[in-house]
Amino acid sequence: MTDKVRVRFAPSPTGFLHIGGLRTALYNELLAKQTGGSFILRIEDTDQTRLVEGGIENIVRTMKMMGLEANEGVYLDNKDQIAERGDYGPYLQTKRKDKHTAYAKQLIEMDKAYYCFCSAERLEDLRHEQQTAGKPTMYDGKCRATPREEAEKRIANGEKYVIRLKLPKQGRITAWDVIRDDISFDWSLIDDQIIIKSDGLPTYHLAATCDDHDMEITHVIRGEDWLPSLPKHLFIFESFGWTAPKYAHLPLLLNADHSKLSKRQNDVAVEDYLNKGYLPQAIINFVALLGWNPTGDRELYSHEELILMFDLAKVNKAGAVFNLEKLDWINEHYLRSIPEDEYLALTHPYIKDLNSDQNFVDRAALLVRDRVTLPSQVAELVSTILKETVDYSQANIAWKTQPKEQAVERLEAVKKLLSDIDESSFAKREARVEHEQRIKKMIMDKGWGNGDTLWPLRVALSGQDKSPSPFELLEVLGKERSLKRLEAAISHLST
Ligand code: GLU
């Protein structure tokens, strides 16, 4: 047995990587990275009827985009083909079918499992009967008592069968979970789980448990929905005399109304968030906090910090509410803190069609950086700044109850002041500060108010009640455009 941490993310490719899966993958990765252990990607594809075309590729590719690459298991090679690496393969679960079948046979031999011949109709009738009687619906154990020789004869005669675990029917089992501590289960409420289906394929329960043993997994970190299955998994470990890994069941993810996170209320595929322009580092930061906060006094953590601070035992038991506003807030933070060229590269797909020189467009994009949550939102703001003629019909150029004539007076004065500044001063780095100083000095000298001068100026430049500051606008628009807009605003006020 290894003393190195070995953890696995074991998604079923029945869909694309979703937010919950990403959190599971992340917590596994954090523990592996923190301890210098191995992070394994095992694909649990035994339920062939539910496989989604492109699911495996999506999971692997999305994990890579999020900076979560497994160092062992399934990956995409440089031709984008599904490949495997590591000493514990295969990592595509269906390829391990023979091992699973052999384990199931061993369980039968140890009398820890049995053949069951009950037809789908019988099971349906049974379920119906139990439902009407208000009892829990579960297998009644009819085939438990069938002697093995008889069962083997029936199989030899071509009868269809499944293999079920022969679980205890009385007493309790107490399991230990890193997050939840001791949890006790009543055996009488646990169904004799099917481990081999009638098509000969193993179910998740057998496959995952045996693979976890064979791959020497030390910690199983997975969603809370698997908690009810834990006794069955421990039963398998115990039957074989294997040491079980440590288990940690992560809290459920909830919609704002505390129902289970669903597609109906939120996007759940990680790809959807990436396509909308959420940054990988923001998504990682956000997802890490779904059920855990390293220090409790802040919300922003880099991936490196998360690795250093991760503590599985401190993960919450209670469900974690998926709060989109928090994701937006985190994304705004990262969008503002990445280098300018990275930010611009993100905005380019949205502003490439704007008919203006790139330098001008980029300056406008930088100007609105503090006002956007997603790069796509830059387009509208930038095009407002860049358009040749400004429409003042929806804007209030005059401030509050300010008479139009006064607004005109202020704008004329600023226009005069700006006309006297030469073109090259507008292009200087310090232009913004200089404009601000000059204009504020003029306001003081004349004994005017900031509001009654700067409001009309800002709206004259932007055509909008809400916009970046007039000094920022002056810097981006430059002398000629700024003067043209002031004239247009003056003439709008004068009509
Ligand atoms: N294949 C299971 C899933 O997709 C994995 C559960 C586990 O980690 O044991 O949820």
Side-chain angles (χ1 to χ4, degrees):
M1 191 78 181
T2 169
D3 50 8
K4 221 172 90 167
V5 163
R6 291 179 54 79
V7 287
R8 87 306 192 267
F9 175 48
S12 305
T14 52
F16 287 2
L17 184 67
H18 57 83
I19 291 285
L22 179 68
R23 183 193 56 181
T24 304
L26 174 64
Y27 284 10
N28 275 289
E29 190 248 13
L30 295 178
L31 183 65
K33 283 257 171 77
Q34 185 182 67
T35 56
S38 290
F39 173 41
I40 296 145
L41 177 62
R42 182 173 76 217
I43 298 290
E44 302 205 324
D45 55 350
T46 55
D47 193 351
Q48 295 278 316
T49 55
R50 292 179 56 224
L51 297 190
V52 162
E53 173 88 26
I56 301 181
E57 288 85 347
N58 175 276
I59 292 168
V60 183
R61 196 173 298 123
T62 313
M63 281 173 66
K64 190 171 180 182
M65 285 172 77
M66 301 303 299
L68 292 183
E69 259 189 291
N71 57 319
E72 186 179 320
V74 176
Y75 72 105
L76 291 180
D77 66 15
N78 46 20
K79 292 196 192 88
D80 239 14
Q81 297 298 309
I82 296 167
E84 303 186 36
R85 58 184 162 207
D87 299 335
Y88 293 76
Y91 297 90
L92 284 162
Q93 202 162 48
T94 36
K95 290 199 196 160
R96 306 176 70 87
K97 182 182 166 220
D98 293 347
K99 293 179 198 281
H100 302 138
T101 318
Y103 280 133
K105 291 249 161 67
Q106 254 178 280
L107 286 168
I108 295 230
E109 271 151 33
M110 296 187 293
D111 201 27
K112 299 292 183 187
Y114 60 95
Y115 296 108
C116 172
F117 300 92
C118 291
S119 64
E121 295 77 51
R122 176 174 186 273
L123 295 176
E124 191 46 48
D125 290 347
L126 178 65
R127 190 172 306 128
H128 192 238
E129 249 170 61
Q130 289 169 331
Q131 263 166 358
T132 3
K135 289 190 185 149
T137 49
M138 59 196 293
Y139 182 58
D140 60 357
K142 180 168 182 274
C143 294
R144 277 172 82 104
T146 310
R148 217 172 100 202
E149 302 71 51
E150 185 191 321
E152 277 161 4
K153 262 192 217 140
R154 288 171 71 172
I155 293 169
N157 285 338
E159 245 187 273
K160 278 204 148 216
Y161 68 95
V162 298
I163 299 179
R164 289 180 184 270
L165 285 179
K166 202 173 206 175
L167 296 177
K169 287 291 129 204
Q170 294 160 6
R172 301 183 72 82
I173 171 172
T174 301
W176 186 76
D177 178 282
V178 181
I179 298 168
R180 284 147 216 276
D181 225 328
D182 280 345
I183 321 157
S184 168
F185 300 86
D186 185 344
W187 278 124
S188 71
L189 299 175
I190 302 172
D191 223 346
D192 281 352
Q193 178 65 51
I194 295 178
I195 52 171
I196 298 283
K197 294 178 286 183
S198 55
D199 61 5
L201 280 172
T203 60
Y204 154 75
H205 302 279
L206 180 74
T209 310
C210 294
D211 292 353
D212 285 342
H213 166 74
D214 289 353
M215 295 182 182
E216 299 192 25
I217 298 302
T218 56
H219 299 70
V220 169
I221 304 172
R222 63 185 177 190
E224 185 186 313
D225 29 351
W226 295 110
L227 193 57
S229 305
L230 183 56
K232 304 170 197 172
H233 300 173
L234 291 175
F235 177 83
I236 296 176
F237 274 101
E238 210 167 283
S239 301
F240 285 114
W242 298 336
T243 310
K246 291 193 173 94
Y247 284 90
H249 290 86
L250 306 178
L252 282 180
L253 298 187
L254 308 173
N255 293 312
D257 65 2
H258 285 241
S259 56
K260 200 173 156 189
L261 186 67
S262 66
K263 269 194 213 156
R264 263 180 300 118
Q265 295 190 31
N266 284 293
D267 280 321
V268 291
V270 177
E271 199 180 43
D272 292 339
Y273 289 92
L274 287 169
N275 289 342
K276 280 188 192 154
Y278 287 97
L279 298 169
Q281 55 272 52
I283 304 175
I284 286 286
N285 186 152
F286 171 71
V287 161
L289 302 185
L290 292 171
W292 170 65
N293 190 306
T295 58
D297 63 358
R298 58 188 168 112
E299 308 275 8
L300 297 169
Y301 299 93
S302 67
H303 197 161
E304 289 67 35
E305 282 179 297
L306 294 170
I307 293 171
L308 284 174
M309 294 174 169
F310 188 61
D311 186 351
L312 197 51
K314 294 245 170 73
V315 173
N316 300 330
K317 290 194 256 305
V321 176
F322 185 87
N323 178 346
L324 206 53
E325 278 132 49
K326 189 162 163 188
L327 173 60
D328 283 347
W329 179 82
I330 295 177
N331 204 61
E332 285 164 14
H333 162 80
Y334 285 99
L335 208 53
R336 282 158 211 179
S337 41
I338 53 177
E340 280 186 4
D341 53 344
E342 246 178 71
Y343 163 80
L344 289 174
L346 289 169
T347 64
H348 282 167
Y350 306 101
I351 52 180
K352 63 176 180 309
D353 297 332
L354 296 176
N355 220 354
S356 215
D357 80 87
Q358 195 60 46
N359 186 26
F360 184 31
V361 174
D362 283 352
R363 281 192 356 223
L366 285 168
L367 181 57
V368 300
R369 182 164 159 158
D370 285 356
R371 276 158 217 278
V372 294
T373 303
L374 296 170
S376 54
Q377 293 163 343
V378 168
E380 200 191 326
L381 294 173
V382 166
S383 57
T384 312
I385 295 176
L386 301 188
K387 61 185 169 205
E388 274 311 309
T389 46
V390 179
D391 171 16
Y392 295 107
S393 61
Q394 304 301 318
N396 294 302
I397 306 178
W399 192 52
K400 293 186 178 169
T401 54
Q402 178 181 44
K404 277 185 184 184
E405 301 68 36
Q406 193 191 71
V408 172
E409 181 197 16
R410 309 295 197 250
L411 292 177
E412 291 283 10
V414 179
K415 203 181 112 194
K416 166 87 184 57
L417 183 145
L418 295 175
S419 322
D420 293 344
I421 302 173
D422 64 55
E423 190 81 56
S424 62
S425 300
F426 264 86
K428 283 200 307 201
R429 279 194 77 84
E430 315 74 48
R432 187 184 306 185
V433 183
E434 290 184 7
H435 297 319
E436 182 164 358
Q437 284 166 349
R438 284 198 184 101
I439 295 171
K440 286 195 168 156
K441 179 168 183 309
M442 178 188 78
I443 292 172
M444 264 212 330
D445 291 348
K446 299 208 184 250
W448 293 342
N450 272 338
D452 57 49
T453 311
L454 299 181
W455 174 281
L457 174 60
R458 191 177 56 69
V459 180
L461 294 170
S462 67
Q464 291 179 322
D465 287 353
K466 279 194 187 135
S467 69
S469 81
F471 313 113
E472 290 172 308
L473 288 164
L474 285 172
E475 180 195 328
V476 171
L477 291 169
K479 184 171 178 176
E480 197 190 323
R481 280 193 186 85
S482 299
L483 290 176
K484 245 166 96 183
R485 288 190 185 191
L486 291 183
E487 262 158 44
I490 293 166
S491 81
H492 181 86
L493 284 172
S494 318
T495 51

